[in-house]
Amino acid sequence: MDLAQLAPYFLFLHVMGAIIAFGPTFAYSIMGSMAGNEPQHANFSARQVAAIGNKLVYPLAIFQGITGVLLLVSLQINPQNQPWLVAGIILYLIAITYALTIQRNALHHLIELSSTPPPPGTPPGPPPPEILATVKKIQRGGIFLAALIVIIVFLMVVKPGR
């Protein structure tokens, strides 16, 4: 079987991988907002986000790169002749690097910070400043990653300048 004959299957895997990997990430802001409204559940919510990322988003995001390369090879596409594709690949590399380092570390830091309940008798009040700063960092990172995903999908679908 010629590798070009496998291209439709690679495309299917690539598109399904994108849907399954990145779809859940758009719900993270809803989960975070709900956790902010119920701080006693914030640690659980953060651990849910980490579990979804570790078991679904990160592995499939890496799979996106593999299926993308398989598509390029099977269709004999030279990215240098497709500026939109080069831009998409660069943005993907930025997104995956940021997600696996900065965003993931910030989330794990939040889990660590929120794992210990306040001492008994502590009056209710706002969360400690370090927790608030970490939440803001995660929110900014989430917006950044969501914007990159939208731009990448736009580039892959519209192929501007083609």
Side-chain angles (χ1 to χ4, degrees), residues 14 84-89 151-160:
H14 194 66
W84 59 268
L85 184 55
V86 172
I89 291 168
I151 293 167
I152 292 166
V153 171
F154 175 82
L155 292 169
M156 295 298 128
V157 173
V158 176
K159 300 172 175 64

Short mmCIF file of all heavy atoms in Angstrom, two decimals, residues 14 84-89 151-160:
data_model
loop_
_atom_site.label_atom_id
_atom_site.label_comp_id
_atom_site.label_asym_id
_atom_site.label_seq_id
_atom_site.Cartn_x
_atom_site.Cartn_y
_atom_site.Cartn_z
N HIS A 14 -6.06 13.00 12.64
CA HIS A 14 -5.63 14.36 12.96
C HIS A 14 -6.83 15.20 13.42
O HIS A 14 -6.77 15.89 14.44
CB HIS A 14 -4.95 14.97 11.74
CG HIS A 14 -4.19 16.22 12.03
ND1 HIS A 14 -3.05 16.26 12.81
CD2 HIS A 14 -4.39 17.50 11.63
CE1 HIS A 14 -2.59 17.48 12.88
NE2 HIS A 14 -3.39 18.27 12.17
N TRP A 84 1.04 29.58 5.50
CA TRP A 84 0.02 29.33 6.52
C TRP A 84 0.35 28.09 7.33
O TRP A 84 0.10 28.04 8.53
CB TRP A 84 -1.37 29.21 5.88
CG TRP A 84 -1.47 28.09 4.87
CD1 TRP A 84 -1.26 28.19 3.53
CD2 TRP A 84 -1.76 26.72 5.13
NE1 TRP A 84 -1.40 26.97 2.93
CE2 TRP A 84 -1.71 26.03 3.90
CE3 TRP A 84 -2.06 25.99 6.28
CZ2 TRP A 84 -1.95 24.67 3.77
CZ3 TRP A 84 -2.30 24.63 6.15
CH2 TRP A 84 -2.24 23.99 4.92
N LEU A 85 0.92 27.08 6.67
CA LEU A 85 1.28 25.83 7.35
C LEU A 85 2.49 26.04 8.27
O LEU A 85 2.50 25.55 9.40
CB LEU A 85 1.56 24.74 6.32
CG LEU A 85 1.85 23.34 6.85
CD1 LEU A 85 0.74 22.85 7.76
CD2 LEU A 85 2.04 22.37 5.68
N VAL A 86 3.45 26.78 7.79
CA VAL A 86 4.62 27.10 8.62
C VAL A 86 4.17 27.87 9.86
O VAL A 86 4.59 27.56 10.98
CB VAL A 86 5.68 27.90 7.82
CG1 VAL A 86 6.79 28.39 8.73
CG2 VAL A 86 6.25 27.05 6.70
N ALA A 87 3.29 28.85 9.67
CA ALA A 87 2.77 29.62 10.81
C ALA A 87 2.03 28.71 11.79
O ALA A 87 2.23 28.81 13.00
CB ALA A 87 1.85 30.74 10.32
N GLY A 88 1.21 27.82 11.27
CA GLY A 88 0.48 26.89 12.12
C GLY A 88 1.40 25.97 12.91
O GLY A 88 1.18 25.72 14.10
N ILE A 89 2.44 25.48 12.27
CA ILE A 89 3.41 24.60 12.94
C ILE A 89 4.15 25.36 14.04
O ILE A 89 4.31 24.86 15.15
CB ILE A 89 4.39 23.98 11.92
CG1 ILE A 89 3.64 22.99 11.01
CG2 ILE A 89 5.57 23.31 12.62
CD1 ILE A 89 4.44 22.53 9.80
N ILE A 151 -6.42 30.29 16.33
CA ILE A 151 -5.63 30.76 15.17
C ILE A 151 -5.12 29.57 14.37
O ILE A 151 -5.17 29.58 13.13
CB ILE A 151 -4.46 31.66 15.64
CG1 ILE A 151 -5.01 32.96 16.23
CG2 ILE A 151 -3.50 31.95 14.49
CD1 ILE A 151 -3.97 33.77 17.00
N ILE A 152 -4.65 28.54 15.03
CA ILE A 152 -4.14 27.35 14.33
C ILE A 152 -5.26 26.69 13.52
O ILE A 152 -5.07 26.35 12.35
CB ILE A 152 -3.51 26.34 15.32
CG1 ILE A 152 -2.22 26.91 15.90
CG2 ILE A 152 -3.23 25.00 14.63
CD1 ILE A 152 -1.70 26.17 17.13
N VAL A 153 -6.44 26.53 14.12
CA VAL A 153 -7.56 25.93 13.39
C VAL A 153 -7.93 26.80 12.20
O VAL A 153 -8.17 26.30 11.09
CB VAL A 153 -8.77 25.70 14.32
CG1 VAL A 153 -10.02 25.30 13.52
CG2 VAL A 153 -8.45 24.64 15.36
N PHE A 154 -7.95 28.12 12.40
CA PHE A 154 -8.23 29.02 11.29
C PHE A 154 -7.23 28.81 10.15
O PHE A 154 -7.61 28.66 8.98
CB PHE A 154 -8.18 30.49 11.76
CG PHE A 154 -8.33 31.48 10.65
CD1 PHE A 154 -9.58 31.82 10.18
CD2 PHE A 154 -7.22 32.06 10.05
CE1 PHE A 154 -9.73 32.73 9.13
CE2 PHE A 154 -7.35 32.97 9.01
CZ PHE A 154 -8.61 33.30 8.56
N LEU A 155 -5.94 28.78 10.49
CA LEU A 155 -4.92 28.59 9.46
C LEU A 155 -5.08 27.25 8.74
O LEU A 155 -4.93 27.17 7.51
CB LEU A 155 -3.52 28.68 10.08
CG LEU A 155 -3.09 30.05 10.59
CD1 LEU A 155 -1.81 29.96 11.41
CD2 LEU A 155 -2.94 31.02 9.43
N MET A 156 -5.37 26.19 9.48
CA MET A 156 -5.48 24.86 8.88
C MET A 156 -6.72 24.73 8.00
O MET A 156 -6.70 24.01 7.00
CB MET A 156 -5.51 23.78 9.97
CG MET A 156 -4.25 23.66 10.78
SD MET A 156 -2.84 23.19 9.77
CE MET A 156 -1.68 24.48 10.22
N VAL A 157 -7.79 25.42 8.35
CA VAL A 157 -9.03 25.31 7.59
C VAL A 157 -9.07 26.29 6.42
O VAL A 157 -9.37 25.92 5.28
CB VAL A 157 -10.27 25.50 8.51
CG1 VAL A 157 -11.54 25.56 7.69
CG2 VAL A 157 -10.33 24.38 9.54
N VAL A 158 -8.75 27.55 6.68
CA VAL A 158 -8.87 28.59 5.66
C VAL A 158 -7.66 28.60 4.71
O VAL A 158 -7.81 28.89 3.53
CB VAL A 158 -9.06 29.98 6.33
CG1 VAL A 158 -9.08 31.10 5.30
CG2 VAL A 158 -10.35 29.98 7.15
N LYS A 159 -6.48 28.27 5.23
CA LYS A 159 -5.24 28.27 4.43
C LYS A 159 -5.04 29.61 3.72
O LYS A 159 -4.96 29.67 2.48
CB LYS A 159 -5.24 27.12 3.43
CG LYS A 159 -5.36 25.75 4.05
CD LYS A 159 -5.54 24.69 2.98
CE LYS A 159 -5.56 23.29 3.50
NZ LYS A 159 -6.61 22.90 4.36
N PRO A 160 -5.00 30.70 4.48
CA PRO A 160 -4.89 32.03 3.85
C PRO A 160 -3.62 32.15 3.00
O PRO A 160 -2.57 31.63 3.35
CB PRO A 160 -4.85 32.99 5.04
CG PRO A 160 -4.50 32.17 6.22
CD PRO A 160 -4.91 30.76 5.94
#
